Amino acid sequence: FSFFFFPQLGGCGILGVGIWLAVTQGNFATLSSSFPSLSAANLLIVTGTFVMIIGFLGCIGAIKENKCLLLTFFILLLIVFLLELTIAILFFLYSDKIDQYAQEDLKKGLHLYGTDGNIGLTNAWSIIQTDFRCCGVSNYTDWFEVYNTTRVPDSCCLEFTENCGLHSPGTWWKAPCYDSVKKWLQEHLLAVGIFGLCTAMVQILGLTFAMTMYCQVVKADTYCA
């Protein structure tokens, strides 16, 4: 029960953070024009809810020693594990194509910057360009197509002032945001790998415990019968 309880507790925490982001930050922080609902808040809410449901099934199944709930927990967790494994394999096999598609989609999203109903995307780009000291997806000239003139958002400026994006390119960040963020992720790849490995180990233990308990309950029912 203790093992199954911790995922449910974690799910509550993830759900709480997602709701807090949704309330305080609106639609922050989707950058994709193809998937406008793919915001940080929505992802956390969906993930937290799903983890809570799986954890709840495991907890109740363990307490009641219910075969149906334990088997449902096992199947759902197995599906999640296989999906994660499939996504990881596809990501490594088609990383170049994913890079190309992601950059094209992000460039399309630039055209939504500053428009009505896209405050989340606007805030996300402003924060990324300020924190990573970059401008545009692959180059600051990406913004020229958006504005149809030689200018960039003020968040691209070396020193932020109002309308500084109208000044010369010498006052703007030159680094491409896509490469800057990708480099940052690569620098933290070890931490991401350890987190992924720990997550996989917990899921495998969950699958093992659920199936072991299920088999014990089945044996007990057969013995009693």
Side-chain angles (χ1 to χ4, degrees):
F1 169 79
S2 299
F3 181 84
F4 296 140
F5 176 73
F6 285 113
Q8 188 180 16
L9 193 64
C12 291
I14 295 171
L15 179 62
V17 174
I19 293 174
W20 175 79
L21 272 179
V23 172
T24 60
Q25 303 295 330
N27 292 326
F28 182 88
T30 178
L31 299 175
S32 173
S33 60
S34 300
F35 305 97
S37 298
L38 197 65
S39 65
N42 290 343
L43 284 175
L44 289 175
I45 290 173
V46 172
T47 302
T49 302
F50 193 69
V51 171
M52 279 184 60
I53 292 173
I54 293 180
F56 177 78
L57 291 174
C59 288
I60 301 301
I63 292 175
K64 300 294 184 180
E65 295 186 354
N66 186 288
K67 292 185 294 182
C68 181
L69 291 177
L70 287 170
L71 187 60
T72 303
F73 172 85
F74 177 86
I75 292 172
L76 288 176
L77 191 58
L78 181 62
I79 290 172
V80 171
F81 180 77
L82 292 177
L83 282 174
E84 291 172 348
L85 185 62
T86 302
I87 291 172
I89 293 173
L90 290 175
F91 180 81
F92 284 108
L93 289 178
Y94 300 100
S95 58
D96 292 338
K97 291 184 178 180
I98 292 173
D99 273 349
Q100 182 180 355
Y101 174 80
Q103 291 187 58
E104 291 175 355
D105 190 54
L106 288 172
K107 288 179 181 179
K108 292 179 182 177
L110 293 181
H111 292 271
L112 302 176
Y113 182 89
T115 58
D116 294 336
N118 290 291
I119 184 66
L121 182 143
T122 302
N123 290 340
W125 269 113
S126 297
I127 292 172
I128 287 174
Q129 292 185 143
T130 301
D131 291 351
F132 284 91
R133 299 181 176 183
C134 59
C135 189
V137 179
S138 56
N139 195 289
Y140 62 83
T141 57
D142 294 337
W143 290 108
F144 296 174
E145 298 179 11
V146 176
Y147 291 111
N148 291 320
T149 186
T150 306
R151 69 161 297 181
V152 296
D154 294 342
S155 56
C156 280
C157 299
L158 299 175
E159 295 183 8
F160 179 84
T161 56
E162 190 174 355
N163 294 322
C164 61
L166 294 171
H167 300 164
S168 65
T171 63
W172 306 333
W173 299 114
K174 299 299 189 299
C177 287
Y178 188 86
D179 289 344
S180 297
V181 174
K182 187 176 179 180
K183 181 180 179 181
W184 181 85
L185 290 173
Q186 290 174 341
E187 291 174 351
H188 294 81
L189 192 61
L190 179 61
V192 174
I194 292 174
F195 175 78
L197 184 61
C198 291
T199 301
M201 289 297 296
V202 170
Q203 290 173 334
I204 292 172
L205 286 174
L207 290 169
T208 304
F209 289 162
M211 183 51 64
T212 301
M213 194 169 202
Y214 173 80
C215 293
Q216 289 176 345
V217 172
V218 170
K219 287 181 181 179
D221 289 347
T222 304
Y223 177 78
C224 292

